[in-house]
Amino acid sequence: MAKTFFEKAGIGCIASGIGLSVFVVVIFFAIFGRFFREGSRIIDKTIDADNVIYNYEWFKQRHQDVQAIDTKIEQANQAVNQFKDDNGERSGWDMFDKQEYDRLNSVAIGLQQQRADIVAEYNARSRMANRSIFKAGDTELPETIN
């Protein structure tokens, strides 16, 4: 018995549909397979033992750096205040007194600016998903520093 046109067309449509599906799957994996592999590589690099140690130590060191510079800022501000107390009103200062005050004040301001840079870097890394995980569970390390 001869197949009708519609029966032949149905087999052709099924074959075309299967072929198109295979084509779409191949294209999908060709395009998106790379992203899946890259994600795996990122995880491997992030969880690498050397990277884990480096990032944990980095957070610990930066936290200590902030505490150390806070002490330096306090000492610099004390030096500025002590200078003002020792030398009285600015109107009575000579040129050398004014230069020394400016120097002491510049040191204090420079330390404050340096602290702002250290804090900004700490807070930026603290917000990075692939870095912040290395300080998780350490109660000494703050989430961010003000």
Side-chain angles (χ1 to χ4, degrees):
M1 193 168 193
K3 292 187 178 182
T4 66
F5 171 76
F6 294 110
E7 290 174 332
K8 291 179 184 175
I11 292 172
C13 286
I14 292 172
S16 295
I18 291 172
L20 183 61
S21 297
V22 169
F23 179 74
V24 167
V25 168
V26 168
I27 295 298
F28 177 82
F29 281 110
I31 294 171
F32 294 105
R34 178 174 158 252
F35 295 117
F36 296 132
R37 287 189 303 277
E38 290 300 316
S40 175
R41 288 182 59 217
I42 290 169
I43 291 169
D44 290 345
K45 282 185 170 188
T46 300
I47 307 300
D48 175 67
D50 292 334
N51 190 49
V52 170
I53 292 168
Y54 167 78
N55 279 287
Y56 178 75
E57 289 175 347
W58 187 93
F59 279 108
K60 288 292 235 186
Q61 183 62 51
R62 284 306 180 275
H63 185 248
Q64 292 300 314
D65 290 346
V66 170
Q67 290 176 333
I69 205 163
D70 284 344
T71 301
K72 292 175 186 177
I73 290 169
E74 184 179 324
Q75 292 169 347
N77 287 331
Q78 287 174 356
V80 169
N81 292 332
Q82 185 65 45
F83 183 87
K84 289 193 295 191
D85 290 344
D86 290 348
N87 291 294
E89 291 294 319
R90 186 176 170 99
S91 60
W93 295 356
D94 63 16
M95 181 182 74
F96 299 109
D97 291 336
K98 290 177 182 177
Q99 286 177 342
E100 181 60 11
Y101 174 79
D102 289 343
R103 186 190 70 77
L104 291 171
N105 204 37
S106 292
V107 168
I109 291 170
L111 288 170
Q112 291 168 357
Q113 291 171 341
Q114 186 179 3
R115 182 189 190 279
D117 289 342
I118 294 169
V119 167
E121 185 180 20
Y122 181 95
N123 290 342
R125 287 194 182 197
S126 185
R127 290 182 183 104
M128 294 176 188
N130 67 328
R131 292 188 188 263
S132 65
I133 60 174
F134 300 112
K135 63 185 177 75
D138 192 327
T139 57
E140 181 183 319
L141 296 174
E143 184 63 30
T144 58
I145 300 174
N146 295 326

